[in-house]
Amino acid sequence: GLVSPMLCIVPSKSGSVEEVTRANSEALVPELQALGFDWILGVDAGGDSLTGGIDFIEGGSPETGRDRQMLHVLTSLQGVHFTHAVIGPCCDGESEQHEMVSALEDAAAQNQFKGSFSLDPFLPYLRKLVVGQGPTRTPVIMIRAFEGDLEAAPAEAGAEAGATGADSDKVVIPRNRKCVISRSWIMVGAALEYPEGKALHITRQIGSANGEISEGFVPDTGTYVPKEERSTGS
């Protein structure tokens, strides 16, 4: 039967890429393998599992990021079909759009990227799940993208991010690096599949300078209120 979710602790994040990957694989692969799964569906809001995100500071490489390391573990399992869904690419504010494009192009070149899908059918479920969450939580950011409730990027920021024509609907992600992203990106998901038992190459180097991270960080405060429920009075 379907078992969800699985909670795993990724024990190591400091050291060389090889040391961190080996320690995490030795800790988690046997445990997950022993559970006897034949299919695992991974879901990542934002996609730092593909880019490395920003949680790799101690390790110094995007490959040591927690989500990236978990992807290493899951792709190392023998006899387990692994499907991975990245929903709302870049909505976590951990990856610039060009970094995500690079990661998806790499996945496509290895025949891992299988296509994209709209998140619109999932909105009713998302709305129920985000009750009580703050406005900078990733599921809430996805809903806010559909509602047109995210801060529009300044024109110059959109141009710097490569916005042209139909791609000019750029918004600022209200967390972490405050990345400028196409709003339409946050409203879709990307589907990927990986060969059984074939670990990822540990060669990605697409993280950004540490200084951009702390400067752009915005703490999660308050509770999200759906746009239609907000008071319009003064």
Side-chain angles (χ1 to χ4, degrees):
L2 182 64
V3 180
S4 178
M6 296 296 299
L7 302 179
C8 301
I9 296 176
V10 181
S12 178
K13 60 181 179 178
S14 58
S16 70
V17 172
E18 292 75 14
E19 290 170 340
V20 171
T21 303
R22 181 170 58 252
N24 290 329
S25 296
E26 289 176 353
L28 289 171
V29 169
E31 292 186 5
L32 291 171
Q33 204 78 65
L35 293 172
F37 296 124
D38 54 15
W39 178 59
I40 292 178
L41 171 63
V43 179
D44 178 14
D48 57 325
S49 59
L50 301 186
T51 66
I54 62 173
D55 62 351
F56 61 87
I57 304 306
E58 291 183 38
S61 164
E63 290 297 336
T64 61
R66 182 183 60 245
D67 286 8
R68 185 71 179 161
Q69 281 290 304
M70 198 64 209
L71 196 60
H72 278 292
V73 168
L74 293 172
T75 57
S76 300
L77 299 177
Q78 299 292 324
V80 179
H81 185 84
F82 176 49
T83 303
H84 191 44
V86 172
I87 58 174
C90 302
C91 72
D92 54 0
E94 296 195 29
S95 308
E96 299 285 358
Q97 190 160 321
H98 69 87
E99 293 170 344
M100 186 61 65
V101 168
S102 174
L104 290 172
E105 286 177 343
D106 283 356
Q110 299 176 65
N111 198 32
Q112 296 163 352
F113 176 68
K114 299 303 178 182
S116 60
F117 55 93
S118 172
L119 296 180
D120 186 68
F122 303 99
L123 275 183
Y125 305 99
L126 272 179
R127 292 181 189 279
K128 293 178 183 178
L129 293 173
V130 302
V131 174
Q133 292 192 16
T136 63
R137 304 301 294 178
T138 51
V140 175
I141 288 174
M142 292 179 220
I143 293 174
R144 293 176 64 188
F146 275 93
E147 294 180 341
D149 190 37
L150 293 173
E151 176 190 351
E156 60 272 18
E160 290 173 5
T164 56
D167 192 38
S168 61
D169 188 16
K170 295 283 187 175
V171 296
V172 178
I173 302 300
R175 54 181 280 155
N176 294 323
R177 292 163 62 189
K178 291 187 177 179
C179 302
V180 174
I181 305 296
S182 295
R183 188 170 71 95
S184 58
W185 271 52
I186 312 169
M187 300 160 67
V188 300
L192 301 98
E193 288 187 340
Y194 297 87
E196 295 178 9
K198 185 178 180 181
L200 296 174
H201 294 296
I202 52 173
T203 56
R204 293 199 62 76
Q205 296 291 335
I206 54 179
S208 293
N210 296 356
E212 296 181 20
I213 297 170
S214 58
E215 182 180 351
F217 178 76
V218 178
D220 183 22
T221 57
T223 300
Y224 173 68
V225 178
K227 194 172 184 180
E228 64 273 13
E229 296 180 13
R230 296 174 200 167
S231 172
T232 57
S234 57

